Amino acid sequence: MSAPRPADRPSTPRWRGISFAERMGTVDFRVGARAHITVDAEVCRSCTTRACVTACPANLFTPTADGGILFNYEECFECGTCYMVCNHEGALTWTYPDGGHGVVFHHG
Amino acid sequence: MAEVTEVDAVVVGAGPAGSAAALALARAGRSVVLLERGPFPGSKNVYGGVVYGRVLDGIVPRWWEEVPVERWVVRRSTMLVTPTQSLSVDYRSAAWGEAPYNGMTTLRCHFDAWLAAKATDAGARLVTSTVATGLVRDGTGRVVGVRTDRAGAEVHAPVVIACDGVNSFLAKEAGLLPPAAASHHTLGVKEVLDLPAGAINERFGVQDHEGVDVEILGCTRDIPGGGFLYTNADTVSIGVVVALPQLAASGVRPEELVADLRDHPGIAPLLRGASLREYAAHLIPEGGYDTMPELVSDGLLIAGDAGAMTLAAGLWLEGVNFAIGSGDAAGRAAAGALAAGDCSAAGLASYRADLEGQFVLADHKRLRKAPALVLSERVQQRYPGLLCDLAEGMFTVTNPTPKPGGLRLTRQVAAGHGVRLRQLAGDTLRGLRIFG
Amino acid sequence: MTAPTGPLVAVCLRVTDLRPEVDRLTGAVRRDPLGVGLTPADAAALELGLRLAETWSARVVALTAGPSSVDPVLREVLALGVAVVRVPDGGEDDGHGYTAELAGDEGGLARTLAAALAPFGPPDLVLCGDRSADRGTGALPAYLAHELGAAQALGLVSLSAGDPAAGRHLVGERRLDAGWRERLRIPLPAVCSVEAAGVRLRRAPLTGVLDAADRPVPVNRSLPVAAATGPGAGSGGAAVHLGGSRPFTPRPRVLPPPAGDDPRRRLLALTGALAAHDPPTVVAPADAAGAADVLLAFLARHGYLPEADGDAR
């Protein structure tokens, strides 16, 4: 099977001249070796609400053409929005990154 | 075999609650380990922007002479907006700009580190970059310590104080918090924008270390929530706070809402030329008194956001002071229980009583119905537009048509917004009952 | 665990803001004390040092030059059971002396570090990260090798102890162009700098961290601080060095896809091969402000500047 491709990714227009990548580029992420959140794309295939795709403030959840969800943990705020809004048992495993890693806010 | 460290108390999370708890315990002569998962205290924390320092009076005398402050809030504005209108109530006090002050803007990495340093100066041992991954229990199920992610090492203590924030996995593991409750949480999304101090002073009408706090209602489209704008020394914090379930269902991205707010005709001129310095997001427990977990169990106390202590009651939006108040009370209760040699739920029960007797739970209890009113459909969707249109009707000069009468105008505008006068009166009364 | 004698592995750590802001015009570096940490390359150097020391039963010492604001990071190193020495920053503890602008005087810094190392005896190996995040040039290891009279191998992606049967030496690998790698046999004593490749720094045990929390970080104040020979010594940003900064790259301009059915025509439209071009313009405005206006107008006309936003970046 070929790798899932991103499809109908929510548009991220350049709000006031800032692309989403630039926006996330302002944040200090000390990326750990371990993915602290994992997504079970099989469970996500049966999901119709896709709440995580809308609500994740870091826009880390991307629907794929084969109906799954592609997720990258590196630029995560560790806020908890995704598991709070997810209504599918077992779709997400959520832990904190290893100590000292993950997001570091300098202007929180 | 896990390596074990024995102390009198473990405090998880070096935010305002955890540091206040560790400080109280250290001052009582107890050995305390304060665990923080970030590389420094405050590194994982985000807030709207104002700390109300009165709670510090009893903890750090003359704290205002040393606290890392951005600006002292002397102006507080409440702003109702529609996409094209805005109506502000603006209060300004010279007294707030002088000791002992009222509110201040500060950045969490500075403020939290300052409070944590108070705890370490008093003898608490701060361990950063360390996650508390779970509770350690004895044969009877009582909490006797925490596991950490440092090679499985454990810290054992008769009492554990969980100040591990809104997602508190320790409170969840103890069965005190539900695994997920989206409806009790809001998402705060914040942009910190660079703006020279001189431009802030001119545009916001302040000088030196004076700052402004603006709360905004009606800026979150169909999603219940609100916005905020705070001045720091040479940055401003702007953002929105929105209800999670409705955000998820809306199809609107959170950063779009902040962009809306920045582009609002009443706000855009204040921020002209400002560039993004840091984007941030954090969950807020906004359910209020009725959604608070049990705060005490055998060997375990919960304080701060972990205990849903954030007060989000419309006119009042406070969190850090409640965290400090609850953390301090938890630390004192734990010290008392250690001295009495009983760290069971019964031995720690003075914590809850202490909180009920002071502002922390008294305010929450009195304002318990406020979150529902503030997030209700009429307050969110209808009243901002209604009041803005009322102001527009009053102040638009329509010569040669004569000016409309106040009551007729009110009835007309209310009807235009699908609100009956009876509902308006009812909500006013409800508001008076909650806030009065 | 650390024998008073025996082989010595030294690791030079540059503890500084991991995300410094470099002014694109002047090259001035703005550092946030909260952002301090070990770069992945420095962390890799420390981890490799610990591994080699285990192989050789060697002592490990970590050296750094900097203000006291870096002590939290050094405590984490102490917690690993490594001896640590900090050389204080020139003058005021939190001022940025010679360590602020590395490019200013790396030779002086190398002399200072070599002197700080002297009490521990001659090192068999000195490890460094390949370069620091705040405009480091990566030249310090070479100066160190010169000071210590050691062999040098820079920019390694792997480093391990060679077969002891062939005499004590190291084997390292280095990237070359086009995906090639060269393998080096490195005699001792040596100074090696490594890239952040392949290894992650181990985490200190909790007992080590608690132990280190109560200990002050050893500071060597007896050195000829500031090694006031170089141009950057204690100058706090007087000299402007642009060596390490990258040029500004304009954002890509989005072109509409060319219309037409004929691939050749589309290609011509895309490349502009047969289109008329504006001839190069030579402008000679009278003053700098005029020249800036002309340049800005040119960039705006060609889509490199956001329109209407004006000063909103």
Side-chain angles (χ1 to χ4, degrees):
Chain A
M1 205 180 103
S2 63
R5 275 184 331 180
D8 51 63
R9 186 177 169 81
S11 63
T12 53
R14 302 170 65 87
W15 301 111
R16 287 178 70 98
I18 295 175
S19 72
F20 200 80
E22 283 173 291
R23 171 182 293 279
M24 296 306 287
T26 63
V27 192
D28 183 1
F29 293 104
R30 303 188 183 171
V31 180
R34 180 180 66 90
H36 62 284
I37 299 174
T38 57
V39 177
D40 185 341
E42 286 307 312
V43 179
C44 297
R45 250 180 267 286
S46 64
C47 174
T48 52
T49 53
R50 300 281 166 99
C52 55
V53 176
T54 298
C56 170
N59 204 12
L60 298 178
F61 294 83
T62 308
T64 55
D66 62 349
I69 292 277
L70 190 66
F71 172 79
N72 294 312
Y73 74 97
E74 287 88 349
E75 297 198 327
C76 173
F77 286 128
E78 302 151 33
C79 66
T81 298
C82 53
Y83 82 82
M84 288 267 182
V85 300
C86 179
N87 47 17
H88 282 70
E89 194 70 34
L92 282 168
T93 56
W94 209 101
T95 60
Y96 284 131
D98 294 339
H101 291 100
V103 69
V104 175
F105 292 115
H106 294 250
H107 295 83
Chain B
M1 194 59 210
E3 135 205 340
V4 174
T5 304
E6 302 268 358
V7 286
D8 290 336
V10 189
V11 180
V12 181
S19 292
L23 177 59
L25 278 157
R27 282 184 178 166
R30 294 294 168 180
S31 63
V32 193
V33 166
L34 177 58
L35 297 175
E36 165 60 42
R37 68 186 185 92
F40 52 84
S43 57
K44 301 288 182 182
N45 300 346
V46 180
Y47 80 142
V50 179
V51 173
Y52 298 94
R54 206 66 315 113
V55 65
L56 286 168
D57 289 349
I59 299 173
V60 183
R62 303 187 74 77
W63 51 272
W64 54 84
E65 290 172 356
E66 50 174 294
V67 76
V69 62
E70 293 279 314
R71 285 171 186 263
W72 300 104
V73 174
V74 298
R75 261 188 73 195
R76 193 185 158 132
S77 253
T78 303
M79 200 171 174
L80 302 176
V81 302
T82 70
T84 58
Q85 302 161 294
S86 70
L87 174 65
S88 291
V89 178
D90 192 88
Y91 176 72
R92 183 173 191 131
S93 164
W96 287 357
E98 296 161 8
Y101 302 103
N102 179 49
M104 61 176 159
T105 57
T106 173
L107 299 175
R108 293 295 294 276
C109 54
H110 299 143
F111 180 81
D112 291 13
W114 170 77
L115 197 58
K118 291 279 148 209
T120 52
D121 288 349
R125 282 187 292 176
L126 170 67
V127 180
T128 57
S129 300
T130 306
V131 184
T133 50
L135 297 168
V136 180
R137 294 164 187 271
D138 68 6
T140 65
R142 161 203 193 105
V143 175
V144 294
V146 295
R147 274 189 304 282
T148 74
D149 69 339
R150 279 192 193 265
E154 296 181 356
V155 189
H156 287 190
V159 59
V160 173
I161 305 181
C163 308
D164 50 340
V166 58
N167 286 307
S168 182
F169 290 109
L170 296 186
K172 283 172 183 167
E173 188 185 334
L176 303 179
L177 271 182
S183 58
H184 299 161
H185 292 85
T186 55
L187 175 66
V189 182
K190 175 168 109 166
E191 288 183 359
V192 174
L193 308 172
D194 273 326
L195 198 59
I200 293 177
N201 290 345
E202 280 172 22
R203 295 180 193 182
F204 290 86
V206 289
Q207 54 191 352
D208 302 329
H209 298 294
E210 296 175 343
V212 181
D213 152 1
V214 187
E215 315 288 346
I216 305 148
L217 194 61
C219 59
T220 49
R221 302 197 197 176
D222 296 337
I223 309 165
F228 59 83
L229 173 62
Y230 301 113
T231 57
N232 305 315
D234 53 4
T235 55
V236 292
S237 303
I238 183 169
V240 296
V241 173
V242 284
L244 262 193
Q246 289 91 335
L247 170 72
S250 70
V252 181
R253 295 272 321 147
E255 69 275 7
E256 270 180 69
L257 297 170
V258 188
D260 277 2
L261 190 57
R262 281 179 70 182
D263 283 342
H264 189 276
I267 289 173
L270 298 173
L271 305 178
R272 192 165 32 82
S275 57
L276 182 63
R277 180 152 197 90
E278 188 173 81
Y279 172 57
H282 214 275
L283 283 187
I284 310 166
E286 284 206 5
Y289 189 80
D290 294 328
T291 67
M292 273 186 196
E294 284 291 324
L295 300 173
V296 180
S297 82
D298 287 331
L300 181 69
L301 293 174
I302 298 179
D305 271 6
M309 296 287 174
T310 306
L311 181 73
L315 298 175
W316 294 283
L317 298 161
E318 303 168 24
V320 173
N321 50 341
F322 281 81
I324 295 171
S326 61
D328 178 53
R332 284 185 285 108
L338 284 165
D342 176 14
C343 292
S344 67
L348 292 166
S350 68
Y351 173 47
R352 175 96 199 183
D354 187 350
L355 292 183
E356 299 271 5
Q358 54 160 315
F359 75 97
V360 178
L361 283 187
D363 284 359
H364 266 292
K365 199 168 181 178
R366 197 160 68 81
L367 297 166
R368 67 201 293 175
K369 303 240 183 290
L373 175 66
V374 173
L375 296 180
S376 69
E377 194 265 346
R378 276 200 296 277
V379 171
Q380 284 285 326
Q381 303 300 332
R382 312 219 178 231
Y383 291 161
L386 190 158
L387 290 170
C388 284
D389 281 352
L390 199 57
E392 184 153 332
M394 296 280 281
F395 301 130
T396 303
V397 177
T398 54
N399 305 161
T401 312
K403 293 191 192 307
L407 191 61
R408 212 183 99 225
L409 182 68
T410 308
R411 195 176 289 126
Q412 245 173 26
V413 171
H417 285 270
V419 176
R420 270 176 284 177
L421 285 188
R422 195 169 353 121
Q423 290 172 319
L424 192 57
D427 284 339
T428 308
L429 201 62
R430 205 172 139 205
L432 281 175
R433 276 206 201 105
I434 293 169
F435 297 113
Chain C
M1 100 192 70
T2 55
T5 56
L8 176 68
V9 174
V11 186
C12 292
L13 301 172
R14 168 71 170 157
V15 187
T16 185
D17 185 2
L18 298 177
R19 287 164 53 95
E21 279 175 55
V22 181
D23 188 303
R24 284 171 174 156
L25 197 59
T26 64
V29 183
R30 202 168 103 180
R31 297 174 182 82
D32 177 359
L34 285 174
V36 296
L38 292 181
T39 63
D42 278 17
L46 183 55
E47 176 63 31
L48 286 171
L50 289 166
R51 289 183 190 183
L52 288 167
E54 280 161 12
T55 310
W56 294 340
S57 307
R59 297 169 291 149
V60 187
V61 58
L63 288 171
T64 193
S68 60
S69 59
V70 309
D71 281 356
V73 180
L74 296 180
R75 283 214 178 77
E76 186 80 20
V77 179
L78 270 177
L80 286 164
V82 174
V84 171
V85 177
R86 176 168 68 81
V87 180
D89 212 310
E92 277 304 300
D93 222 8
D94 281 320
H96 286 293
Y98 60 90
T99 54
E101 298 306 328
L102 273 185
D105 183 19
E106 281 162 318
L109 181 59
R111 277 193 295 283
T112 308
L113 290 177
L117 200 50
F120 295 86
D124 298 83
L125 171 65
V126 179
L127 280 162
C128 307
D130 61 347
R131 67 182 60 218
S132 71
D134 54 344
R135 292 190 57 214
T137 61
L140 176 76
Y143 281 107
L144 262 176
H146 173 74
E147 287 297 322
L148 298 167
Q152 56 169 308
L154 309 185
L156 303 173
V157 292
S158 79
L159 183 66
S160 53
D163 182 3
R168 230 152 50 94
H169 68 281
L170 292 161
V171 177
E173 266 183 34
R174 182 154 68 180
R175 290 182 214 271
L176 295 179
D177 285 351
W180 288 77
R181 299 222 170 161
E182 64 180 356
R183 179 165 288 189
L184 308 172
R185 184 183 190 281
I186 307 159
L188 298 179
V191 178
C192 298
S193 76
V194 298
E195 285 185 31
V199 292
R200 273 183 179 263
L201 180 59
R202 65 191 69 182
R203 296 186 65 198
L206 188 67
T207 44
V209 177
L210 285 169
D211 191 34
D214 302 335
R215 274 194 287 158
V217 173
V219 179
N220 189 335
R221 295 187 187 277
S222 65
L223 293 169
V225 168
T229 53
S235 65
V240 172
H241 300 278
L242 277 166
S245 71
R246 280 179 299 165
F248 174 65
T249 324
R251 291 196 192 113
R253 179 156 55 118
V254 179
L255 292 172
D261 298 331
D262 180 3
R264 184 177 159 275
R265 283 189 171 284
R266 288 206 298 273
L267 204 60
L268 283 174
L270 207 57
T271 57
L274 297 180
H277 285 284
D278 292 338
T281 320
V282 178
V283 290
D287 57 356
D293 286 344
V294 171
L295 287 171
L296 284 174
F298 177 86
L299 290 172
R301 196 161 65 241
H302 289 270
Y304 286 115
L305 295 181
E307 291 154 79
D309 266 21
D311 48 358
R313 265 231 305 201

